[in-house]
């Protein structure tokens, strides 16, 4: 499996995020954002987002040349990461550590994204009616994706996740069951995913 060279990284920066990432499609990669590293198989590079499959949340990476991250949370499903939240995308040695897939009701949808999907709204429209988790600077917000707009999305039956606990957990460790709808600006979002805890019961819509 070929990795992107230092020379190619310069081409990625000059050519724009989408064009540069196209050469990594189908390969393991890591994106560094404000909260965490995210690593997985890069499935899609759109105009304003990327999609990972078999994703893991790297909480402590350890050395770049390490065989595996020091501490990571196994999400095992898809993740949408917004370009505006990404500091860099790379292939440290630990990105080549084994990955795995956990059962998920939208995995097949994400695995079969085609060339017509270019904007994040196009992907999110495929998720309407499903429970998702939206990670912003302060909290996760989980609920049912009910609307997809040009500049924001709307969640119904919202819970504010203050401490998520493991992605494979049956429910978040600490959350505030708000129970009403919430409009979230795309500009505030780091990533969107479907950890196992999003399937925990939600409060009735207020």
């Amino acid at each position: 499996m070929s990795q992107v060279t230092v020379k190619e990284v310069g081409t990625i920066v000059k050519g724009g995020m989408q064009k540069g990432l196209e050469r990594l499609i189908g390969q393991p990669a890591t994106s560094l954002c404000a909260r965490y590293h995210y690593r997985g198989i890069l499935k899609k590079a759109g105009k304003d987002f990327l999609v990972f499959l078999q994703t893991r949340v790297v909480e402590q990476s350890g050395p770049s040349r390490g065989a595996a991250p020091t501490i990571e949370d196994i999400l095992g499903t898809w993740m949408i990461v917004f370009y505006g939240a990404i500091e860099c995308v790379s292939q440290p040695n630990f990105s080549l550590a084994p990955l795995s897939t956990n059962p998920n009701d939208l995995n097949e949808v994400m695995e079969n994204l085609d060339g017509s999907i270019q904007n994040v709204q196009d992907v999110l429209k495929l998720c309407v009616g499903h429970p998702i988790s939206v990670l912003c600077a302060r909290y996760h917000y989980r609920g049912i994706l009910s609307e997809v707009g040009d500049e924001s999305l709307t969640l119904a039956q919202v819970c504010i996740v203050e401490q998520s606990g493991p992605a494979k957990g049956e429910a978040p460790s600490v959350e505030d069951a708000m129970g009403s709808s919430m409009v979230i600006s795309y500009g505030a979002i780091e990533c969107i995913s479907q950890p196992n805890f999003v399937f925990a019961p939600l409060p009735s819509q207020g």
Side-chain angles (χ1 to χ4, degrees), residues 152-176:
S152 62
L153 60 81
T154 302
L155 293 181
Q157 298 174 249
V158 173
C159 287
I160 301 169
V161 179
E162 298 168 355
Q163 294 181 27
S164 65
K168 288 185 176 181
E170 294 298 318
S173 300
V174 180
E175 67 179 355
D176 182 7

Side-chain angles (χ1 to χ4, degrees), residues 115-155:
S116 67
I117 303 294
Q118 291 298 318
N119 301 307
V120 72
Q121 293 93 335
D122 299 331
V123 183
L124 291 175
K125 287 174 182 176
L126 302 174
C127 303
V128 170
H130 293 266
I132 62 171
S133 173
V134 179
L135 177 62
C136 297
R138 296 195 64 181
Y139 300 114
H140 286 271
Y141 302 98
R142 74 178 186 97
I144 305 299
L145 181 60
S146 60
E147 295 181 29
V148 176
D150 292 337
E151 299 181 353
S152 62
L153 60 81
T154 302
L155 293 181

